[in-house]
Amino acid sequence: MALQIDSVSAEARARRGWLRESAEDEDVAPGSPRRISIFGLGYVGAVSLACLARDGHEMFGVDIDPGKLELLRRGQAPIVETGIQELTRAVMRGGTVSVTDSVRDAILATDISFVCVGTPARQNGNQDLAAITRIAEQIGAVLPEKSTRHIIVIRSTVKPGTLDEVIKPAIEAASGLQAGRDFSLCFQPEFLREGTSINDYDNPPLTVVGADDPYAVEALRGIFGHLPCEFMHTSVRTAEMLKYACNAFHALKVTFANEIGRVSQAAGVDPHEVMKLLCMDRQLNISSAYLRPGFAFGGSCLPKDLKALLYLAKNNDVELPMLNSLLPSNAAHIDHAVDRVLASGRRSVGMIGLSFKSGTDDLRESPLVVMAERFIGKGLPLCIFDPEVNVARLIGANRRFIEESIPHIASLMTTDLDALVRDSDVLVVAMKTPEVLAALRAHTRPDQLLLDIAVLPERESYRAAYQGVCW
């Protein structure tokens, strides 16, 4: 087999110049019908096959299961889904759909392939990539026979890095060709829900293509650009990760609603009314608010109210595993930031910001106060700048909190921001006021570490070694 692959690769190499030229010269108008193959006729594959055929494309469905192929030949969908039987019957009668178990026939007959094979979980939780790797190798073995540039679109859910580290090497090894030059490879996550998949196909929240290959991006824009949503082009790894982020967020929302339901039930409250009102808040609750990677939460409300809710649940013998995990997860985020500083081996630390939120003097439950305590405990010289915090003016609960947490905080504070930036080995930056940005641009130096927990703009303008706390 190795000798056969090498022989084919040599032949392919001899005509690559013409192949690339012909692919780049190929003129397909946006929205024009394409010849498309679908590998894997399970849930995503069967729906995609029917919808793309309905939209006017010539389709080739590929699967190793003869039962699925026979059902499709009879005009029956291999899945149970609202509207899919009628749509499958219509497109099969239309004569624009063929099905086969031959990878070679499908690749030679089409110019774009969507790979929708399963990536099931192994016993240890990792993905089983056997099927998608096998398909990649089989597709790669056929590519040298083609005289035009083929586009391979992975729709199977895979971990970030899988295209670059597993699928691309498998195709290149089997073909002797190079991704991005002789064939195109990209990732397009799907957002189909079982039960409403045809409607979801026609009305997606957005279309995302992960690719560094403009040829593939424009081809997919021609296929999906008519849909009533934004067409987003991003990196392959971002697109791979997006699918996991979406599914994890959906699982989180279901679990959150159920845990609120259980504790509401125990407290004699109608949880459906609670969640109905919660969802009416489009500024903070059902919005992009708080959904940006940054630093830990704190302040006078979130920590104490979460603790009170958990106490209510405990008193009513209600288990809330997810909500119980929030405070430990928040603490782990602070630990992560502290560990980044300690791992640098640098000594003196300058903290820019101390209150739980920029623009306030509230130090209660501030994660930055926790960080300051940790640095002091480790014996690191510490200097703090926060123009909103004046220890002498603190009153009430805010003052009591500081007296109990860091009673000698006044001796650590400075009003000389420029000197703090110049004299510190590590800068922990939690503010991005114009004053702070100007000091960072003017006084940072290459031997410093800048740990950003404020999502600073213009990062290239700071001379210190830059690290985001979780980016």
Side-chain angles (χ1 to χ4, degrees):
M1 180 62 71
L3 291 175
Q4 292 175 349
I5 291 175
D6 288 344
S7 174
V8 171
S9 300
E11 180 184 346
R13 281 193 294 272
R15 68 165 185 263
R16 273 184 194 163
W18 178 82
L19 186 152
R20 290 198 303 278
E21 182 180 352
S22 65
E24 291 166 358
D25 290 344
E26 184 179 353
D27 185 15
V28 179
S32 299
R34 304 297 295 253
R35 294 163 62 86
I36 302 171
S37 47
I38 302 280
F39 289 85
L41 299 177
Y43 179 76
V44 174
V47 172
S48 299
L49 181 77
C51 289
L52 286 166
R54 178 207 60 192
D55 291 346
H57 302 286
E58 186 175 355
M59 302 301 301
F60 291 77
V62 188
D63 205 288
I64 60 174
D65 186 339
K68 291 181 181 180
L69 300 181
E70 184 55 33
L71 281 172
L72 285 163
R73 291 187 183 107
R74 296 202 302 260
Q76 299 174 19
I79 62 171
V80 176
E81 172 70 23
T82 302
I84 194 65
Q85 293 299 334
E86 296 82 358
L87 181 57
T88 300
R89 184 163 52 250
V91 298
M92 293 303 295
R93 287 175 177 173
T96 59
V97 180
S98 302
V99 296
T100 180
D101 60 0
S102 171
V103 173
R104 181 175 183 274
D105 290 350
I107 293 296
L108 295 180
T110 60
D111 50 20
I112 301 176
S113 296
F114 290 91
V115 178
C116 307
V117 300
T119 52
R122 295 181 180 272
Q123 192 168 4
N124 64 1
N126 195 17
Q127 285 187 312
D128 185 344
L129 298 176
I132 199 167
T133 302
R134 182 171 60 250
I135 286 292
E137 292 169 345
Q138 292 172 341
I139 291 174
V142 182
L143 289 181
E145 300 182 47
K146 292 181 64 70
S147 60
T148 57
R149 180 168 177 159
H150 201 79
I151 300 171
I152 302 162
V153 185
I154 305 300
R155 302 212 77 186
S156 307
T157 301
V158 293
K159 295 183 300 183
T162 301
L163 256 71
D164 289 337
E165 298 167 11
V166 178
I167 298 173
K168 182 169 73 172
I171 297 174
E172 289 182 336
S175 65
L177 305 177
Q178 182 177 328
R181 186 183 71 178
D182 305 311
F183 66 91
S184 298
L185 178 64
C186 58
F187 182 79
Q188 184 186 18
E190 49 82 18
F191 303 106
L192 307 181
R193 296 169 295 171
E194 294 189 35
T196 61
S197 62
I198 295 176
N199 181 68
D200 290 345
Y201 179 95
D202 290 332
N203 300 280
L206 71 168
T207 297
V208 178
V209 175
D212 55 7
D213 186 330
Y215 180 74
V217 174
E218 291 312 305
L220 292 176
R221 194 187 303 275
I223 295 172
F224 297 107
H226 70 283
L227 295 173
C229 66
E230 289 191 74
F231 185 99
M232 303 299 296
H233 172 210
T234 187
S235 70
V236 170
R237 288 180 184 242
T238 298
E240 289 172 319
M241 188 64 198
L242 174 64
K243 179 64 176 177
Y244 284 98
C246 289
N247 283 353
F249 190 44
H250 300 162
L252 179 75
K253 290 195 290 184
V254 170
T255 305
F256 174 79
N258 288 339
E259 290 197 356
I260 292 297
R262 292 205 304 275
V263 72
S264 296
Q265 180 186 52
V269 178
D270 180 357
H272 291 285
E273 185 69 11
V274 171
M275 294 304 295
K276 174 186 174 182
L277 295 172
L278 181 147
C279 292
M280 290 176 68
D281 179 353
R282 301 280 174 171
Q283 295 182 36
L284 299 180
N285 293 344
I286 310 302
S287 73
S288 61
Y290 307 122
L291 287 175
R292 299 176 182 87
F295 200 41
F297 63 78
S300 60
C301 295
L302 299 188
K304 79 172 182 64
D305 291 346
L306 182 55
K307 291 173 185 176
L309 180 63
L310 295 174
Y311 186 82
L312 172 65
K314 181 180 178 181
N315 273 5
N316 285 279
D317 295 323
V318 176
E319 293 290 332
L320 303 179
M322 189 199 78
L323 290 172
N324 261 307
S325 72
L326 296 185
L327 288 172
S329 178
N330 200 51
H333 200 54
I334 300 172
D335 293 342
H336 172 70
V338 172
D339 290 343
R340 296 286 287 271
V341 173
L342 298 179
S344 73
R346 296 171 172 88
R347 293 291 297 168
S348 63
V349 178
M351 292 183 63
I352 302 177
L354 186 65
S355 62
F356 91 96
K357 183 190 297 185
S358 183
T360 177
D361 70 347
D362 195 345
L363 301 175
R364 290 171 292 175
E365 300 286 351
S366 170
L368 293 165
V369 171
V370 177
M371 287 187 74
E373 292 177 293
R374 293 280 298 278
F375 293 144
I376 293 169
K378 292 292 183 179
L380 300 182
L382 178 63
C383 187
I384 303 170
F385 172 83
D386 191 325
E388 303 295 338
V389 177
N390 186 320
V391 178
R393 293 203 307 264
L394 295 179
I395 61 174
N398 203 6
R399 185 177 186 87
R400 287 194 299 273
F401 178 78
I402 281 301
E403 289 173 346
E404 294 171 1
S405 301
I406 312 179
H408 54 291
I409 188 174
S411 65
L412 305 175
M413 304 291 293
T414 182
T415 58
D416 191 340
L417 175 59
D418 290 345
L420 180 147
V421 174
R422 283 195 305 266
D423 299 340
S424 301
D425 298 326
V426 178
L427 296 169
V428 178
V429 184
M431 300 173 60
K432 49 184 176 182
T433 62
E435 179 188 15
V436 169
L437 299 181
L440 295 176
R441 284 193 295 268
H443 301 299
T444 49
R445 57 182 192 274
D447 63 317
Q448 289 174 307
L449 169 66
L450 191 161
L451 182 65
D452 178 10
I453 59 179
V455 193
L456 297 171
E458 306 170 2
R459 298 168 193 171
E460 66 283 351
S461 66
Y462 316 130
R463 290 185 290 273
Y466 174 91
Q467 290 186 15
V469 68
C470 61
W471 60 87

